[in-house]
Amino acid sequence: MKISSFISLMVTLMVTTLCYGQPLEKGVSKELAENRVANISNVNYQLTFNIPADRQKKVTGTATITFTLQQRADVVLDFQGKFSGLCQINKKKKVPARMENEHIVLPMKPMKVGVNTVTLSFESTDDALNRNDDYMYTLFVPDHARSCFPCFDQPDIRATYEVKLNAPEGWKTMASNGVLPIPTYLFSFVAGNFQEKTKKLDGQLAGHSIRALYRETAPENVEQLDKVFEEAEQSLKWMESYTYIKCPFKEYGLVILPGYQFGGMEHPGAIQLNDRRVFLGKNPTQEDELSRAELIAHETAHLWFGDMVSLKWFEDVWAKEVFANFMASKITRRQYTKVDHELNFLKTYQARAIAIDRTEGTHPIAQPLENLNHASLLYDNIIYDKAPVMMRMLEDLMGPKAMQTGLQKYIKKFYFKNASWDDLITILDAEAPEVGVRQFSEVWVKQKGMPNIHTSYQDGNLIVTQTDPYERGLCWRQKFEVRLIYDLDDSRTITIDMQQPTVSIKLNNKPSYIIPNYDGKGYGRFTLDPEYAQKLPLRLITTRNAQYRYALLLTLYDNYLMSQIPASYFGELYRNMLKETNPLIISTSIDHMFRIAFDRMTDSERKTLEQCITDLLPENKTPECRQHIIRKMAANATAPEVLNQLYAIWESHSDQLFNERDYMEMAYRLAIMRPEQWKEILDTQRSRLTTDDLRKEFDYVSRACNPDVAAQETLFRSLLNKENRQQEPWALHALRLLNADVREHQSNSYIPISLNELQTIQQNSDIFFPGNWMKALLDSHKSEEARQQVEQFLKQNPGYTPNLRNKILEAAWPLMNPRHDPPSATKPKVVATPKTKVATKSKSKK
């Protein structure tokens, strides 16, 4: 290197260090982000992308970036692709710019205070382009825009976009609405061979339109787009009415994608949705339909909470999801008026959040973030599901009107700006200063875990005591009901307003039964003294109200996991299932029955319980019962009689309750359980598939059914390479099949390899993948060898990345916390239950 060049390089490094404090690191550090947002504003991207039909050829493009500088300084762009090293600044001659750790450093000399324009050419990486043979789509959340084009890849530098897509002839395209300023993670574009459907809206939404791109061809699925459009339209109307703010994005674009990594992503003007969540087959369950409606409502709510107002990601990466699910739960109440939405809220949000909060992998809703390339580790069901539970409790504390007014003021104040969670808390606290909003947030949002809440009868008093499992002395303020049932056909419901750790209520008589958290609105682990806990399962079949029956179902399951009640409560689940008609309770009951069957059972005991569950089919003839049981068997069956039933259903291929994906799942399980027929089964199933997308998915996933151990090992090792996980849901499905319960002895060897590779997997995958990888790996393991492998890894890596360690602890919780009282594997008998008069003083509905 020439001395002059060396000196120039050193000067550039010194200037960059002076401007930004430290040499640039990969990703977007908090320091870099804070320096840029203080100096850079009014950003506009003029982008051209050249998309070749051959996905082996690179996407290239040009970017003209306009921005305003408050002070002259080097300007740091984020970019992971290839760059020639030259750029044009303020329409002068091209000058060199330096690449450093995934950044382009633009020299200060041509810059000026005020408006600047930079033009440069680039070659994108394929990391976030999701390229397939005849279509592609971008997915930039949380910080992947820099893999595609040079940009300021942080959420608090918003920009407008002008986009030109040079795509192959015949391809349809769609891009995010670029007229209004949005962060880079909300920008997206799509190109490919798609079908198209459009609708112009009128009335309240006059001037708006809905446009969908999709690849589905089955008529019964395509017809469902009318319902999708209706749900999107209703969601838009509801959000406008609730916020008093019109939707500023005129085109509501939808891209419905096979093998999509998420449920959906809220790019304004180009919302992406998973086709399996949208196209539900001929006979979708009520749960499937509710799930789709909630997904569409969730993404629509993000147009206000996330798109109009974005959060300061280094402080509150999680907070936009709080609003989206909180609003989605409200929107679906209007759309599905005949559904028990209190019950659905428990199932959709509360049960999922508690499933993480009970594990050692739990964490606060609010989590710190030092670099955006770690943002993927913050996403899980605490953010998505505990947060709306918290918001509903806060709304109950403040009152719905005060909450609504506060949220309206919040959007208006930060319209197309970025805000923090504390900004919102300040506004809400002003709306209801008497309730202690800030103190509520400190416990529910900024501390991890949930309380243990014990209910007991002592010396004529009902004592409800809340304790902090981490011994910090916290009290989670909340309200819930306790049901007391007496022998003399009398019952009473008491509302517990838990503003302090202990509540004591004088009782006239000792109750025969105590049902804690009767309405399900409390959040925590609810326990009883053994006298009451042992007979609690008897109340399941006598609880007539569906919401209360579901809440009791969750309490029983949690007590089962804590070994507070014996697994023989399977018998009460069975008795209730003989007559259960609520589809949401049916699906959860079957999940719990299978969990019991899987826990620490001998092979013969498990097979007996599987047969027990299938014996429900001629007794409970609801379509939902049949669908859920057969779908569970398609993933878990081991009993020969059950496998024969499954084979008969699969072979006939004529049961209208099941769609082609259901038959694919049956084929996978049958191929694994009948290795002598595996190829015949898979060949038959493949011949039934009618679309290229389904065949590609089947060809990828079905490799995991090969009985040859060496082939399984080769497939597993291939999944460790990013290039072989382009369709992440397919990769997870294959991993789950490789770790099928009946293969545990051989698949235990995958555990230490996966744990050692997890950090690398996290660095080159999308946001939910690391946690989902661990669940797919460990869900079917229950051996002592597997438990020791996880335990040994954690002991040998005490300084492991905390958030990634949480993913391991969460996924491994059932493995690391086995129960110790396996039930007898006899078929449950339906026995008489004492009749009890319901609630002479109850405030609850019957």
Side-chain angles (χ1 to χ4, degrees):
M1 180 184 290
K2 293 182 179 179
I3 293 177
S4 59
S5 298
F6 177 78
I7 292 173
S8 176
L9 176 60
M10 290 300 101
V11 169
T12 302
L13 283 169
M14 289 174 62
V15 170
T16 303
T17 301
L18 287 171
C19 290
Y20 295 104
Q22 297 292 332
L24 293 168
E25 60 183 88
K26 288 185 177 181
V28 180
S29 68
K30 188 174 183 179
E31 183 179 20
L32 173 60
E34 288 174 346
N35 278 301
R36 288 198 301 204
V37 78
N39 196 36
I40 297 169
S41 59
N42 302 321
V43 179
N44 171 267
Y45 297 102
Q46 296 179 34
L47 302 170
T48 298
F49 294 98
N50 306 305
I51 305 169
D54 183 355
R55 65 174 177 164
Q56 302 304 318
K57 296 180 179 179
K58 292 292 185 180
V59 171
T60 61
T62 59
T64 297
I65 309 171
T66 304
F67 52 89
T68 299
L69 284 182
Q70 304 303 313
Q71 298 179 354
R72 290 182 67 241
D74 284 356
V75 174
V76 177
L77 297 171
D78 309 314
F79 188 53
Q80 294 175 313
K82 290 185 179 180
F83 161 64
S84 67
L86 296 175
C87 62
Q88 186 178 43
I89 300 178
N90 293 326
K91 298 183 179 179
K92 297 178 181 178
K93 67 178 183 178
K94 291 185 177 181
V95 295
R98 179 174 53 82
M99 287 289 295
E100 180 187 343
N101 272 343
E102 302 177 352
H103 302 283
I104 300 174
V105 182
L106 305 174
M108 177 174 61
K109 186 175 180 180
M111 299 294 177
K112 60 185 179 180
V113 173
V115 179
N116 293 267
T117 300
V118 176
T119 299
L120 62 168
S121 299
F122 59 86
E123 180 181 291
S124 305
T125 76
D126 286 340
D127 289 357
L129 295 181
N130 297 282
R131 300 179 73 184
N132 294 272
D133 289 341
D134 61 347
Y135 72 98
M136 57 82 64
Y137 62 92
T138 65
L139 185 58
F140 295 149
V141 64
D143 64 336
H144 299 322
R146 60 197 173 98
S147 71
C148 184
F149 64 97
C151 59
F152 304 109
D153 203 7
Q154 62 189 78
D156 49 358
I157 296 185
R158 289 170 167 265
T160 54
Y161 294 81
E162 300 168 48
V163 184
K164 181 180 180 182
L165 301 177
N166 295 321
E169 186 176 355
W171 282 24
K172 291 183 169 64
T173 63
M174 183 183 289
S176 296
N177 185 306
V179 176
L180 297 166
I182 58 174
T184 48
Y185 82 90
L186 289 175
F187 172 68
S188 176
F189 61 88
V190 180
N193 284 323
F194 289 99
Q195 305 298 314
E196 183 175 0
K197 182 180 176 70
T198 60
K199 179 183 179 181
K200 290 186 177 180
L201 305 181
D202 53 21
Q204 177 183 332
L205 296 172
H208 290 74
S209 62
I210 302 177
R211 177 184 178 224
L213 299 182
Y214 59 95
R215 291 176 60 82
E216 180 63 50
T217 57
E220 67 271 17
N221 282 332
V222 174
E223 289 171 3
Q224 294 176 22
L225 283 172
D226 290 334
K227 183 65 175 176
V228 170
F229 279 26
E230 177 187 332
E231 290 171 344
E233 185 175 357
Q234 289 177 354
S235 297
L236 286 167
K237 289 179 179 178
W238 192 94
M239 286 300 301
E240 286 192 348
S241 298
Y242 185 86
T243 62
Y244 291 177
I245 295 175
K246 292 286 187 182
C247 180
F249 305 107
K250 294 302 181 182
E251 182 170 276
Y252 187 100
L254 294 172
V255 188
I256 305 168
L257 295 160
Y260 189 59
Q261 296 94 313
F262 308 162
M265 182 62 204
E266 66 269 16
H267 311 113
I271 294 171
Q272 294 170 355
L273 299 174
N274 186 311
D275 68 341
R276 296 187 68 170
R277 297 283 300 277
V278 174
F279 299 124
L280 306 179
K282 292 180 180 179
N283 293 286
T285 65
Q286 183 185 83
E287 194 169 350
D288 291 336
E289 292 180 320
L290 277 171
S291 177
R292 180 176 65 192
E294 286 159 353
L295 172 63
I296 292 169
H298 175 106
E299 303 306 336
T300 304
H302 267 314
L303 298 178
W304 281 259
F305 296 102
D307 295 3
M308 289 185 203
V309 181
S310 295
L311 280 299
K312 296 177 180 177
W313 273 39
F314 286 95
E315 299 175 31
D316 303 311
V317 61
W318 50 274
K320 70 187 183 72
E321 304 303 337
V322 176
F323 304 117
N325 270 348
F326 181 56
M327 294 297 150
S329 70
K330 290 176 174 290
I331 293 168
T332 51
R333 287 173 183 262
R334 292 291 186 90
Q335 296 179 357
Y336 287 84
T337 56
K338 295 181 180 180
V339 170
D340 188 331
H341 286 282
E342 290 298 323
L343 188 164
N344 186 54
F345 189 91
L346 294 178
K347 180 178 177 66
T348 303
Y349 304 111
Q350 195 144 315
R352 293 174 184 171
I354 287 174
I356 294 183
D357 244 353
R358 69 165 64 99
T359 76
E360 291 83 355
T362 191
H363 55 80
I365 296 174
Q367 300 174 79
L369 182 66
E370 293 301 319
N371 191 304
L372 279 176
N373 61 14
H374 296 149
S376 64
L377 295 177
L378 306 187
Y379 287 87
D380 62 15
N381 287 351
I382 294 294
I383 284 181
Y384 281 89
D385 298 319
K386 184 178 181 179
V389 172
M390 173 274 297
M391 284 294 288
R392 192 168 79 152
M393 289 189 174
L394 181 56
E395 182 183 52
D396 185 53
L397 191 68
M398 295 178 60
K401 183 61 180 176
M403 171 69 82
Q404 182 180 4
T405 301
L407 291 176
Q408 289 170 350
K409 289 181 178 179
Y410 170 75
I411 297 177
K412 289 175 182 176
K413 181 174 181 178
F414 297 102
Y415 190 68
F416 283 98
K417 297 177 183 176
N418 290 67
S420 70
W421 174 253
D422 285 339
D423 290 330
L424 173 64
I425 290 300
T426 298
I427 292 172
L428 296 181
D429 197 40
E431 289 300 312
E434 71 285 355
V435 302
V437 171
R438 198 171 298 280
Q439 293 86 346
F440 175 93
S441 173
E442 183 62 35
V443 174
W444 279 95
V445 175
K446 298 186 178 182
Q447 304 297 328
K448 72 175 182 177
M450 61 181 174
N452 295 324
I453 302 176
H454 187 77
T455 305
S456 63
Y457 177 81
Q458 299 176 26
D459 301 324
N461 294 288
L462 183 74
I463 309 294
V464 183
T465 304
Q466 181 183 134
T467 56
D468 177 2
Y470 298 99
E471 299 180 346
R472 297 160 298 182
L474 300 178
C475 178
W476 285 261
R477 296 159 61 195
Q478 55 183 303
K479 295 179 183 179
F480 52 86
E481 293 179 351
V482 172
R483 182 75 155 182
L484 308 177
I485 301 173
Y486 299 88
D487 286 335
L488 299 176
D489 292 338
D490 190 17
S491 58
R492 177 185 178 191
T493 300
I494 299 174
T495 297
I496 305 297
D497 187 0
M498 193 148 244
Q499 302 298 314
Q500 49 195 329
T502 300
V503 174
S504 178
I505 298 172
K506 184 68 177 176
L507 301 179
N508 294 327
N509 300 296
K510 181 180 179 179
S512 300
Y513 296 89
I514 298 175
I515 305 178
N517 198 24
Y518 185 56
D519 58 354
K521 292 187 177 180
Y523 187 87
R525 305 196 82 174
F526 289 83
T527 58
L528 294 165
D529 289 341
E531 173 190 357
Y532 288 103
Q534 296 297 315
K535 57 185 179 180
L536 188 60
L538 297 174
R539 305 312 310 171
L540 187 60
I541 198 169
T542 63
T543 303
R544 292 187 287 175
N545 177 280
Q547 175 192 340
Y548 302 152
R549 192 162 65 255
Y550 190 83
L552 178 54
L553 191 68
L554 297 183
T555 299
L556 290 172
Y557 184 63
D558 212 27
N559 277 264
Y560 161 74
L561 293 176
M562 292 185 286
S563 299
Q564 298 296 308
I565 62 174
S568 56
Y569 96 95
F570 180 100
E572 294 305 319
L573 286 172
Y574 184 89
R575 288 203 322 136
N576 188 65
M577 277 295 297
L578 289 170
K579 67 170 192 174
E580 185 61 69
T581 59
N582 187 293
L584 301 180
I585 297 178
I586 286 172
S587 63
T588 300
S589 297
I590 293 169
D591 287 344
H592 292 180
M593 293 171 85
F594 266 94
R595 185 75 250 174
I596 295 170
F598 182 76
D599 274 348
R600 301 288 166 176
M601 291 288 174
T602 65
D603 288 345
S604 61
E605 288 171 336
R606 174 175 172 180
K607 289 171 182 175
T608 301
L609 289 185
E610 286 180 12
Q611 187 63 60
C612 248
I613 295 170
T614 55
D615 284 350
L616 284 168
L617 293 176
E619 303 294 335
N620 186 328
K621 297 184 180 180
T622 60
E624 290 84 2
C625 182
R626 180 172 177 78
Q627 281 179 316
H628 284 296
I629 286 178
I630 297 303
R631 285 173 176 171
K632 274 291 182 181
M633 291 301 174
N636 298 279
T638 59
E641 300 88 345
V642 176
L643 288 167
N644 288 339
Q645 288 178 268
L646 190 65
Y647 187 89
I649 295 169
W650 171 79
E651 187 177 40
S652 69
H653 199 251
S654 60
D655 194 320
Q656 294 300 304
L657 285 178
F658 303 110
N659 58 43
E660 200 56 61
R661 289 191 182 278
D662 290 319
Y663 288 109
M664 288 164 64
E665 294 297 328
M666 295 179 204
Y668 297 146
R669 185 64 179 183
L670 290 167
I672 290 172
M673 296 305 298
R674 297 183 171 182
E676 71 283 356
Q677 293 179 263
W678 76 278
K679 197 168 188 314
E680 172 193 344
I681 290 169
L682 295 180
D683 287 347
T684 299
Q685 182 58 41
R686 192 183 192 282
S687 70
R688 298 167 171 175
L689 304 179
T690 57
T691 68
D692 287 341
D693 288 340
L694 267 185
R695 281 189 286 269
K696 288 175 183 176
E697 177 182 349
F698 186 80
D699 289 345
Y700 183 102
V701 174
S702 64
R703 295 176 298 163
C705 302
N706 190 328
D708 182 74
V709 175
Q712 294 171 32
E713 174 81 15
T714 299
L715 175 58
F716 167 73
R717 290 190 176 276
S718 75
L719 296 179
L720 298 173
N721 298 321
K722 176 187 175 182
E723 294 75 18
N724 299 321
R725 302 195 309 264
Q726 184 174 1
Q727 300 284 358
E728 289 185 349
W730 299 359
L732 292 170
H733 201 163
L735 181 65
R736 192 172 293 111
L737 294 176
L738 288 171
N739 286 274
D741 49 353
V742 294
R743 291 173 164 177
E744 181 166 25
H745 179 69
Q746 66 208 47
S747 64
N748 280 343
S749 63
Y750 305 153
I751 295 175
I753 298 171
S754 288
L755 291 170
N756 287 322
E757 292 292 326
L758 188 58
Q759 287 182 318
T760 302
I761 289 170
Q762 182 269 322
Q763 291 165 6
N764 56 33
S765 59
D766 280 306
I767 58 177
F768 300 108
F769 192 79
N772 290 335
W773 174 274
M774 289 309 304
K775 290 174 185 175
L777 178 76
L778 296 177
D779 269 355
S780 295
H781 287 270
K782 59 180 180 178
S783 70
E784 179 63 17
E785 180 187 1
R787 187 191 67 77
Q788 289 179 358
Q789 287 174 329
V790 176
E791 194 172 71
Q792 183 179 15
F793 177 84
L794 294 173
K795 286 181 178 179
Q796 291 175 348
N797 295 274
Y800 202 67
T801 305
N803 288 327
L804 204 53
R805 183 184 182 88
N806 284 342
K807 302 298 181 189
I808 299 171
L809 290 169
E810 176 196 332
W813 189 83
L815 178 64
M816 308 295 279
N817 294 271
R819 283 185 40 80
H820 297 289
D821 65 9
S824 60
T826 56
K827 178 175 176 179
K829 294 181 179 180
V830 179
V831 296
T833 302
K835 295 182 180 179
T836 304
K837 185 177 178 181
V838 179
T840 57
K841 301 179 183 178
S842 174
K843 295 178 287 184
S844 61
K845 54 188 178 182
K846 303 292 177 73

